[in-house]
PDB file of all heavy atoms in Angstrom:
ATOM      1  N   THR A 178     -74.418  98.921 268.361  1.00 83.00           N
ATOM      2  CA  THR A 178     -73.511  97.906 268.913  1.00 83.00           C
ATOM      3  C   THR A 178     -74.251  96.598 269.170  1.00 83.00           C
ATOM      4  O   THR A 178     -73.746  95.505 268.869  1.00 83.00           O
ATOM      5  CB  THR A 178     -72.875  98.419 270.214  1.00 83.00           C
ATOM      6  OG1 THR A 178     -72.171  99.630 269.953  1.00 83.00           O
ATOM      7  CG2 THR A 178     -71.924  97.380 270.796  1.00 83.00           C
ATOM      8  N   LYS A 179     -75.455  96.714 269.716  1.00 80.00           N
ATOM      9  CA  LYS A 179     -76.255  95.528 270.008  1.00 80.00           C
ATOM     10  C   LYS A 179     -76.590  94.760 268.740  1.00 80.00           C
ATOM     11  O   LYS A 179     -76.483  93.524 268.697  1.00 80.00           O
ATOM     12  CB  LYS A 179     -77.542  95.943 270.721  1.00 80.00           C
ATOM     13  CG  LYS A 179     -78.439  94.778 271.103  1.00 80.00           C
ATOM     14  CD  LYS A 179     -79.681  95.277 271.832  1.00 80.00           C
ATOM     15  CE  LYS A 179     -80.580  94.119 272.234  1.00 80.00           C
ATOM     16  NZ  LYS A 179     -81.796  94.575 272.946  1.00 80.00           N
ATOM     17  N   GLU A 180     -76.949  95.474 267.672  1.00 84.00           N
ATOM     18  CA  GLU A 180     -77.313  94.822 266.408  1.00 84.00           C
ATOM     19  C   GLU A 180     -76.093  94.160 265.763  1.00 84.00           C
ATOM     20  O   GLU A 180     -76.182  93.033 265.262  1.00 84.00           O
ATOM     21  CB  GLU A 180     -77.925  95.847 265.439  1.00 84.00           C
ATOM     22  CG  GLU A 180     -79.258  96.419 265.866  1.00 84.00           C
ATOM     23  CD  GLU A 180     -80.365  95.383 265.847  1.00 84.00           C
ATOM     24  OE1 GLU A 180     -80.416  94.584 264.898  1.00 84.00           O
ATOM     25  OE2 GLU A 180     -81.171  95.380 266.795  1.00 84.00           O
ATOM     26  N   VAL A 181     -74.943  94.843 265.787  1.00 86.00           N
ATOM     27  CA  VAL A 181     -73.731  94.280 265.177  1.00 86.00           C
ATOM     28  C   VAL A 181     -73.271  93.048 265.948  1.00 86.00           C
ATOM     29  O   VAL A 181     -72.915  92.017 265.348  1.00 86.00           O
ATOM     30  CB  VAL A 181     -72.616  95.345 265.122  1.00 86.00           C
ATOM     31  CG1 VAL A 181     -71.294  94.707 264.687  1.00 86.00           C
ATOM     32  CG2 VAL A 181     -72.994  96.462 264.162  1.00 86.00           C
ATOM     33  N   LEU A 182     -73.266  93.120 267.273  1.00 83.00           N
ATOM     34  CA  LEU A 182     -72.860  91.966 268.073  1.00 83.00           C
ATOM     35  C   LEU A 182     -73.815  90.792 267.874  1.00 83.00           C
ATOM     36  O   LEU A 182     -73.379  89.631 267.824  1.00 83.00           O
ATOM     37  CB  LEU A 182     -72.810  92.355 269.558  1.00 83.00           C
ATOM     38  CG  LEU A 182     -71.655  93.283 269.970  1.00 83.00           C
ATOM     39  CD1 LEU A 182     -71.763  93.638 271.437  1.00 83.00           C
ATOM     40  CD2 LEU A 182     -70.310  92.644 269.659  1.00 83.00           C
ATOM     41  N   ALA A 183     -75.102  91.087 267.743  1.00 82.00           N
ATOM     42  CA  ALA A 183     -76.067  90.020 267.470  1.00 82.00           C
ATOM     43  C   ALA A 183     -75.750  89.346 266.142  1.00 82.00           C
ATOM     44  O   ALA A 183     -75.823  88.110 266.018  1.00 82.00           O
ATOM     45  CB  ALA A 183     -77.485  90.591 267.450  1.00 82.00           C
ATOM     46  N   GLY A 184     -75.388  90.152 265.144  1.00 85.00           N
ATOM     47  CA  GLY A 184     -75.030  89.590 263.840  1.00 85.00           C
ATOM     48  C   GLY A 184     -73.795  88.713 263.906  1.00 85.00           C
ATOM     49  O   GLY A 184     -73.729  87.654 263.266  1.00 85.00           O
ATOM     50  N   ILE A 185     -72.810  89.128 264.705  1.00 84.00           N
ATOM     51  CA  ILE A 185     -71.577  88.341 264.826  1.00 84.00           C
ATOM     52  C   ILE A 185     -71.859  87.007 265.519  1.00 84.00           C
ATOM     53  O   ILE A 185     -71.379  85.950 265.085  1.00 84.00           O
ATOM     54  CB  ILE A 185     -70.507  89.144 265.594  1.00 84.00           C
ATOM     55  CG1 ILE A 185     -70.077  90.369 264.774  1.00 84.00           C
ATOM     56  CG2 ILE A 185     -69.302  88.264 265.923  1.00 84.00           C
ATOM     57  CD1 ILE A 185     -69.150  91.310 265.517  1.00 84.00           C
ATOM     58  N   VAL A 186     -72.644  87.044 266.600  1.00 75.00           N
ATOM     59  CA  VAL A 186     -73.006  85.808 267.294  1.00 75.00           C
ATOM     60  C   VAL A 186     -73.761  84.871 266.350  1.00 75.00           C
ATOM     61  O   VAL A 186     -73.512  83.654 266.310  1.00 75.00           O
ATOM     62  CB  VAL A 186     -73.866  86.123 268.541  1.00 75.00           C
ATOM     63  CG1 VAL A 186     -74.443  84.839 269.130  1.00 75.00           C
ATOM     64  CG2 VAL A 186     -73.034  86.848 269.581  1.00 75.00           C
ATOM     65  N   THR A 187     -74.671  85.436 265.568  1.00 82.00           N
ATOM     66  CA  THR A 187     -75.430  84.628 264.613  1.00 82.00           C
ATOM     67  C   THR A 187     -74.517  84.029 263.549  1.00 82.00           C
ATOM     68  O   THR A 187     -74.697  82.879 263.141  1.00 82.00           O
ATOM     69  CB  THR A 187     -76.521  85.485 263.947  1.00 82.00           C
ATOM     70  OG1 THR A 187     -77.358  86.048 264.963  1.00 82.00           O
ATOM     71  CG2 THR A 187     -77.365  84.656 262.995  1.00 82.00           C
ATOM     72  N   ALA A 188     -73.529  84.812 263.100  1.00 84.00           N
ATOM     73  CA  ALA A 188     -72.580  84.302 262.101  1.00 84.00           C
ATOM     74  C   ALA A 188     -71.802  83.111 262.631  1.00 84.00           C
ATOM     75  O   ALA A 188     -71.544  82.144 261.901  1.00 84.00           O
ATOM     76  CB  ALA A 188     -71.616  85.416 261.689  1.00 84.00           C
ATOM     77  N   LEU A 189     -71.432  83.146 263.912  1.00 75.00           N
ATOM     78  CA  LEU A 189     -70.699  82.023 264.504  1.00 75.00           C
ATOM     79  C   LEU A 189     -71.534  80.751 264.501  1.00 75.00           C
ATOM     80  O   LEU A 189     -71.005  79.646 264.351  1.00 75.00           O
ATOM     81  CB  LEU A 189     -70.279  82.380 265.933  1.00 75.00           C
ATOM     82  CG  LEU A 189     -69.254  83.514 266.074  1.00 75.00           C
ATOM     83  CD1 LEU A 189     -69.020  83.846 267.534  1.00 75.00           C
ATOM     84  CD2 LEU A 189     -67.936  83.160 265.389  1.00 75.00           C
ATOM     85  N   ALA A 190     -72.847  80.923 264.679  1.00 72.00           N
ATOM     86  CA  ALA A 190     -73.735  79.758 264.614  1.00 72.00           C
ATOM     87  C   ALA A 190     -74.052  79.365 263.183  1.00 72.00           C
ATOM     88  O   ALA A 190     -74.425  78.217 262.914  1.00 72.00           O
ATOM     89  CB  ALA A 190     -75.038  80.071 265.363  1.00 72.00           C
ATOM     90  N   LEU A 191     -73.884  80.306 262.258  1.00 81.00           N
ATOM     91  CA  LEU A 191     -74.239  80.070 260.858  1.00 81.00           C
ATOM     92  C   LEU A 191     -73.158  79.289 260.109  1.00 81.00           C
ATOM     93  O   LEU A 191     -73.467  78.442 259.256  1.00 81.00           O
ATOM     94  CB  LEU A 191     -74.483  81.422 260.171  1.00 81.00           C
ATOM     95  CG  LEU A 191     -74.953  81.426 258.728  1.00 81.00           C
ATOM     96  CD1 LEU A 191     -76.288  80.718 258.596  1.00 81.00           C
ATOM     97  CD2 LEU A 191     -75.079  82.872 258.245  1.00 81.00           C
ATOM     98  N   ILE A 192     -71.897  79.550 260.411  1.00 80.00           N
ATOM     99  CA  ILE A 192     -70.792  78.959 259.648  1.00 80.00           C
ATOM    100  C   ILE A 192     -70.815  77.430 259.664  1.00 80.00           C
ATOM    101  O   ILE A 192     -70.730  76.800 258.589  1.00 80.00           O
ATOM    102  CB  ILE A 192     -69.436  79.505 260.152  1.00 80.00           C
ATOM    103  CG1 ILE A 192     -69.293  80.972 259.753  1.00 80.00           C
ATOM    104  CG2 ILE A 192     -68.273  78.687 259.580  1.00 80.00           C
ATOM    105  CD1 ILE A 192     -68.066  81.652 260.332  1.00 80.00           C
ATOM    106  N   PRO A 193     -70.937  76.775 260.830  1.00 76.00           N
ATOM    107  CA  PRO A 193     -70.950  75.297 260.801  1.00 76.00           C
ATOM    108  C   PRO A 193     -72.083  74.717 259.955  1.00 76.00           C
ATOM    109  O   PRO A 193     -71.879  73.747 259.216  1.00 76.00           O
ATOM    110  CB  PRO A 193     -71.123  74.923 262.286  1.00 76.00           C
ATOM    111  CG  PRO A 193     -70.650  76.099 263.045  1.00 76.00           C
ATOM    112  CD  PRO A 193     -71.004  77.290 262.214  1.00 76.00           C
ATOM    113  N   GLU A 194     -73.273  75.327 260.043  1.00 77.00           N
ATOM    114  CA  GLU A 194     -74.399  74.791 259.281  1.00 77.00           C
ATOM    115  C   GLU A 194     -74.250  75.087 257.794  1.00 77.00           C
ATOM    116  O   GLU A 194     -74.636  74.268 256.956  1.00 77.00           O
ATOM    117  CB  GLU A 194     -75.713  75.362 259.818  1.00 77.00           C
ATOM    118  CG  GLU A 194     -76.049  74.820 261.196  1.00 77.00           C
ATOM    119  CD  GLU A 194     -77.468  75.147 261.624  1.00 77.00           C
ATOM    120  OE1 GLU A 194     -78.308  75.403 260.736  1.00 77.00           O
ATOM    121  OE2 GLU A 194     -77.733  75.143 262.834  1.00 77.00           O
ATOM    122  N   ALA A 195     -73.698  76.254 257.436  1.00 83.00           N
ATOM    123  CA  ALA A 195     -73.489  76.569 256.024  1.00 83.00           C
ATOM    124  C   ALA A 195     -72.546  75.556 255.380  1.00 83.00           C
ATOM    125  O   ALA A 195     -72.762  75.106 254.248  1.00 83.00           O
ATOM    126  CB  ALA A 195     -72.940  77.985 255.876  1.00 83.00           C
ATOM    127  N   ILE A 196     -71.497  75.191 256.112  1.00 82.00           N
ATOM    128  CA  ILE A 196     -70.557  74.185 255.602  1.00 82.00           C
ATOM    129  C   ILE A 196     -71.258  72.831 255.495  1.00 82.00           C
ATOM    130  O   ILE A 196     -71.120  72.113 254.490  1.00 82.00           O
ATOM    131  CB  ILE A 196     -69.323  74.088 256.519  1.00 82.00           C
ATOM    132  CG1 ILE A 196     -68.549  75.410 256.500  1.00 82.00           C
ATOM    133  CG2 ILE A 196     -68.420  72.942 256.078  1.00 82.00           C
ATOM    134  CD1 ILE A 196     -67.427  75.481 257.518  1.00 82.00           C
ATOM    135  N   SER A 197     -72.026  72.483 256.525  1.00 76.00           N
ATOM    136  CA  SER A 197     -72.719  71.192 256.517  1.00 76.00           C
ATOM    137  C   SER A 197     -73.720  71.098 255.382  1.00 76.00           C
ATOM    138  O   SER A 197     -73.834  70.069 254.706  1.00 76.00           O
ATOM    139  CB  SER A 197     -73.440  70.987 257.862  1.00 76.00           C
ATOM    140  OG  SER A 197     -72.533  71.007 258.934  1.00 76.00           O
ATOM    141  N   PHE A 198     -74.462  72.184 255.155  1.00 79.00           N
ATOM    142  CA  PHE A 198     -75.445  72.179 254.078  1.00 79.00           C
ATOM    143  C   PHE A 198     -74.764  72.107 252.707  1.00 79.00           C
ATOM    144  O   PHE A 198     -75.337  71.572 251.758  1.00 79.00           O
ATOM    145  CB  PHE A 198     -76.333  73.418 254.161  1.00 79.00           C
ATOM    146  CG  PHE A 198     -77.246  73.430 255.360  1.00 79.00           C
ATOM    147  CD1 PHE A 198     -77.553  74.613 256.008  1.00 79.00           C
ATOM    148  CD2 PHE A 198     -77.790  72.251 255.842  1.00 79.00           C
ATOM    149  CE1 PHE A 198     -78.388  74.622 257.115  1.00 79.00           C
ATOM    150  CE2 PHE A 198     -78.631  72.250 256.952  1.00 79.00           C
ATOM    151  CZ  PHE A 198     -78.929  73.444 257.589  1.00 79.00           C
ATOM    152  N   SER A 199     -73.553  72.651 252.604  1.00 84.00           N
ATOM    153  CA  SER A 199     -72.793  72.528 251.349  1.00 84.00           C
ATOM    154  C   SER A 199     -72.501  71.065 251.059  1.00 84.00           C
ATOM    155  O   SER A 199     -72.620  70.606 249.915  1.00 84.00           O
ATOM    156  CB  SER A 199     -71.482  73.317 251.442  1.00 84.00           C
ATOM    157  OG  SER A 199     -71.729  74.686 251.654  1.00 84.00           O
ATOM    158  N   VAL A 200     -72.125  70.340 252.100  1.00 80.00           N
ATOM    159  CA  VAL A 200     -71.846  68.911 251.937  1.00 80.00           C
ATOM    160  C   VAL A 200     -73.115  68.173 251.525  1.00 80.00           C
ATOM    161  O   VAL A 200     -73.098  67.298 250.647  1.00 80.00           O
ATOM    162  CB  VAL A 200     -71.275  68.334 253.249  1.00 80.00           C
ATOM    163  CG1 VAL A 200     -71.083  66.825 253.132  1.00 80.00           C
ATOM    164  CG2 VAL A 200     -69.960  69.019 253.603  1.00 80.00           C
ATOM    165  N   VAL A 201     -74.252  68.535 252.156  1.00 80.00           N
ATOM    166  CA  VAL A 201     -75.535  67.921 251.798  1.00 80.00           C
ATOM    167  C   VAL A 201     -75.862  68.171 250.327  1.00 80.00           C
ATOM    168  O   VAL A 201     -76.330  67.276 249.614  1.00 80.00           O
ATOM    169  CB  VAL A 201     -76.662  68.469 252.693  1.00 80.00           C
ATOM    170  CG1 VAL A 201     -78.030  68.016 252.185  1.00 80.00           C
ATOM    171  CG2 VAL A 201     -76.469  68.011 254.134  1.00 80.00           C
ATOM    172  N   ALA A 202     -75.596  69.390 249.868  1.00 84.00           N
ATOM    173  CA  ALA A 202     -75.911  69.749 248.483  1.00 84.00           C
ATOM    174  C   ALA A 202     -74.929  69.170 247.482  1.00 84.00           C
ATOM    175  O   ALA A 202     -75.193  69.186 246.268  1.00 84.00           O
ATOM    176  CB  ALA A 202     -75.951  71.269 248.338  1.00 84.00           C
ATOM    177  N   GLY A 203     -73.792  68.677 247.953  1.00 83.00           N
ATOM    178  CA  GLY A 203     -72.796  68.105 247.052  1.00 83.00           C
ATOM    179  C   GLY A 203     -71.893  69.132 246.406  1.00 83.00           C
ATOM    180  O   GLY A 203     -71.367  68.903 245.311  1.00 83.00           O
ATOM    181  N   VAL A 204     -71.674  70.289 247.086  1.00 84.00           N
ATOM    182  CA  VAL A 204     -70.816  71.334 246.545  1.00 84.00           C
ATOM    183  C   VAL A 204     -69.711  71.639 247.543  1.00 84.00           C
ATOM    184  O   VAL A 204     -69.748  71.208 248.696  1.00 84.00           O
ATOM    185  CB  VAL A 204     -71.615  72.617 246.240  1.00 84.00           C
ATOM    186  CG1 VAL A 204     -72.676  72.348 245.186  1.00 84.00           C
ATOM    187  CG2 VAL A 204     -72.269  73.174 247.511  1.00 84.00           C
ATOM    188  N   ASP A 205     -68.694  72.399 247.100  1.00 80.00           N
ATOM    189  CA  ASP A 205     -67.608  72.786 247.996  1.00 80.00           C
ATOM    190  C   ASP A 205     -68.135  73.646 249.139  1.00 80.00           C
ATOM    191  O   ASP A 205     -69.096  74.410 248.957  1.00 80.00           O
ATOM    192  CB  ASP A 205     -66.540  73.569 247.224  1.00 80.00           C
ATOM    193  CG  ASP A 205     -65.772  72.693 246.254  1.00 80.00           C
ATOM    194  OD1 ASP A 205     -65.830  71.460 246.402  1.00 80.00           O
ATOM    195  OD2 ASP A 205     -65.129  73.250 245.334  1.00 80.00           O
ATOM    196  N   PRO A 206     -67.510  73.583 250.306  1.00 82.00           N
ATOM    197  CA  PRO A 206     -67.927  74.438 251.425  1.00 82.00           C
ATOM    198  C   PRO A 206     -67.945  75.922 251.072  1.00 82.00           C
ATOM    199  O   PRO A 206     -68.783  76.672 251.583  1.00 82.00           O
ATOM    200  CB  PRO A 206     -66.882  74.136 252.509  1.00 82.00           C
ATOM    201  CG  PRO A 206     -66.430  72.747 252.211  1.00 82.00           C
ATOM    202  CD  PRO A 206     -66.456  72.634 250.712  1.00 82.00           C
ATOM    203  N   ALA A 207     -67.020  76.339 250.194  1.00 81.00           N
ATOM    204  CA  ALA A 207     -66.973  77.758 249.806  1.00 81.00           C
ATOM    205  C   ALA A 207     -68.279  78.195 249.168  1.00 81.00           C
ATOM    206  O   ALA A 207     -68.706  79.350 249.328  1.00 81.00           O
ATOM    207  CB  ALA A 207     -65.815  77.995 248.834  1.00 81.00           C
ATOM    208  N   VAL A 208     -68.933  77.303 248.448  1.00 84.00           N
ATOM    209  CA  VAL A 208     -70.181  77.649 247.762  1.00 84.00           C
ATOM    210  C   VAL A 208     -71.264  77.995 248.774  1.00 84.00           C
ATOM    211  O   VAL A 208     -71.960  79.009 248.653  1.00 84.00           O
ATOM    212  CB  VAL A 208     -70.630  76.496 246.852  1.00 84.00           C
ATOM    213  CG1 VAL A 208     -71.969  76.805 246.194  1.00 84.00           C
ATOM    214  CG2 VAL A 208     -69.575  76.213 245.790  1.00 84.00           C
ATOM    215  N   GLY A 209     -71.418  77.158 249.804  1.00 86.00           N
ATOM    216  CA  GLY A 209     -72.427  77.417 250.819  1.00 86.00           C
ATOM    217  C   GLY A 209     -72.119  78.654 251.641  1.00 86.00           C
ATOM    218  O   GLY A 209     -73.014  79.428 251.994  1.00 86.00           O
ATOM    219  N   LEU A 210     -70.826  78.869 251.930  1.00 87.00           N
ATOM    220  CA  LEU A 210     -70.440  80.038 252.714  1.00 87.00           C
ATOM    221  C   LEU A 210     -70.705  81.327 251.946  1.00 87.00           C
ATOM    222  O   LEU A 210     -71.266  82.292 252.487  1.00 87.00           O
ATOM    223  CB  LEU A 210     -68.965  79.936 253.094  1.00 87.00           C
ATOM    224  CG  LEU A 210     -68.633  78.855 254.131  1.00 87.00           C
ATOM    225  CD1 LEU A 210     -67.131  78.631 254.212  1.00 87.00           C
ATOM    226  CD2 LEU A 210     -69.185  79.232 255.496  1.00 87.00           C
ATOM    227  N   PHE A 211     -70.314  81.356 250.660  1.00 87.00           N
ATOM    228  CA  PHE A 211     -70.563  82.553 249.856  1.00 87.00           C
ATOM    229  C   PHE A 211     -72.054  82.778 249.642  1.00 87.00           C
ATOM    230  O   PHE A 211     -72.532  83.916 249.597  1.00 87.00           O
ATOM    231  CB  PHE A 211     -69.847  82.450 248.510  1.00 87.00           C
ATOM    232  CG  PHE A 211     -68.385  82.786 248.568  1.00 87.00           C
ATOM    233  CD1 PHE A 211     -67.492  82.258 247.656  1.00 87.00           C
ATOM    234  CD2 PHE A 211     -67.899  83.641 249.539  1.00 87.00           C
ATOM    235  CE1 PHE A 211     -66.135  82.574 247.705  1.00 87.00           C
ATOM    236  CE2 PHE A 211     -66.546  83.966 249.601  1.00 87.00           C
ATOM    237  CZ  PHE A 211     -65.669  83.430 248.690  1.00 87.00           C
ATOM    238  N   SER A 212     -72.785  81.686 249.512  1.00 90.00           N
ATOM    239  CA  SER A 212     -74.227  81.807 249.369  1.00 90.00           C
ATOM    240  C   SER A 212     -74.829  82.476 250.598  1.00 90.00           C
ATOM    241  O   SER A 212     -75.675  83.371 250.494  1.00 90.00           O
ATOM    242  CB  SER A 212     -74.849  80.430 249.153  1.00 90.00           C
ATOM    243  OG  SER A 212     -76.238  80.538 248.918  1.00 90.00           O
TER     244      SER A 212
END
Side-chain angles (χ1 to χ4, degrees):
T178 302
K179 181 179 181 180
E180 293 292 318
V181 171
L182 288 177
I185 294 173
V186 170
T187 303
L189 294 175
L191 184 61
I192 290 174
E194 290 192 22
I196 296 172
S197 300
F198 292 145
S199 299
V200 175
V201 171
V204 298
D205 290 343
V208 177
L210 290 168
F211 280 154
S212 184

